[in-house]
Amino acid sequence: MRRVIAVDGKVVRGSRTSTAAAIHLLAAMDHHGVVLAQRQVASKSNEIPSFTPLLDGLELENTVVTADALHTQHNHGAYLAGRGAHYVAVVKKNHPGLYAQVRKLPWQDIPLGHRTRDHAHHRDEIRRLKVAAFSHLDYPGARQAIQVVRWRRDLSTGKLTIERLYLITSLSVFDATCTELATSIRGHWGIENLLHHVRDRTFREDDSKVRTGTLPRTMASLRNLAVSVFRQDGQTNIAAALRHTGRDYHRPLRALGLM
């Protein structure tokens, strides 16, 4: 199994002042939840120019990088190929030509590659994945197109929602199975949840009033460190670990101002 690295951004809302916008950070985490790198996005910019500097210091050979649709950029694909890395990239309508190319594939005729069903958070969810090998995708190194269809039924209201997601990957049919692709895609969703849910709700990052100089970025790095320590300790539910574990995590976290 290749190492999978997720790239995702987060705005530290509590760092906003009357004269300055909130700090925007871009992080790289492996799919076990360990933070590998973090970079502050330049003011009056977005995450795109920070993508390659964020990854420059990491060993990427034979890894798989996952990111949201904002980073499905030709330059990013070429950069990862040059570093010997693979990618699983989301394709949305902000790339209309590529999106149309992938969406119009004959998905109804393509056999199902992977299916899962889960009951959680008062909802029933089914995920179906199909993969099509395609050598003429207009993106550097792309070898396959992916369709993920998610059915979600709210068990309290009965409301059903259906979402179709399209992705591309440089992994060929010989490099990864449909199950491995599904795991990488779902793993990225898990990392997005970890970055936002844990830092906002468990560590209450958005309530922090630290705003001076580089301190917001430093505090975010310490929160990332705390998350990494918990994950390396085998804790998947950090809030529950803080409530129920016999170890006294609270004292050092409070001393650092993280709780």
Side-chain angles (χ1 to χ4, degrees), residues 87 132-135 137 139-145 169-173 175:
Y87 58 78
F134 195 12
S135 60
L137 286 168
Y139 196 82
R143 294 292 178 268
Q144 296 189 89
T169 181
S170 59
L171 294 162
S172 73
V173 294
D175 294 323

Side-chain angles (χ1 to χ4, degrees), residues 4 6-8 29-34 66 121 123 125 127 150 152 182-199 227 231 236 238:
V4 187
V7 174
D8 193 42
M29 304 176 71
D30 70 22
H31 276 210
H32 298 293
V34 177
T66 62
H121 306 295
R123 70 187 181 201
E125 181 170 305
R127 289 174 295 275
R150 294 192 289 187
R152 289 179 178 174
T183 300
S184 295
I185 295 166
R186 193 172 183 188
H188 185 82
W189 296 335
I191 291 301
E192 288 180 335
N193 179 68
L194 183 67
L195 268 177
H196 296 268
H197 181 89
V198 173
R199 281 169 50 174
V227 170
R231 299 290 287 194
T236 56
I238 296 175

Side-chain angles (χ1 to χ4, degrees), residues 2 7 9 37 53 66 75 92 101 119 123 127 129-130 141 149 155 181 257:
R2 294 174 173 83
V7 174
T66 62
N75 289 343
K92 291 188 176 180
Q101 192 178 17
H119 299 272
R123 70 187 181 201
R127 289 174 295 275
L129 178 143
K130 294 182 177 183
V149 182
L155 299 180
L181 291 173

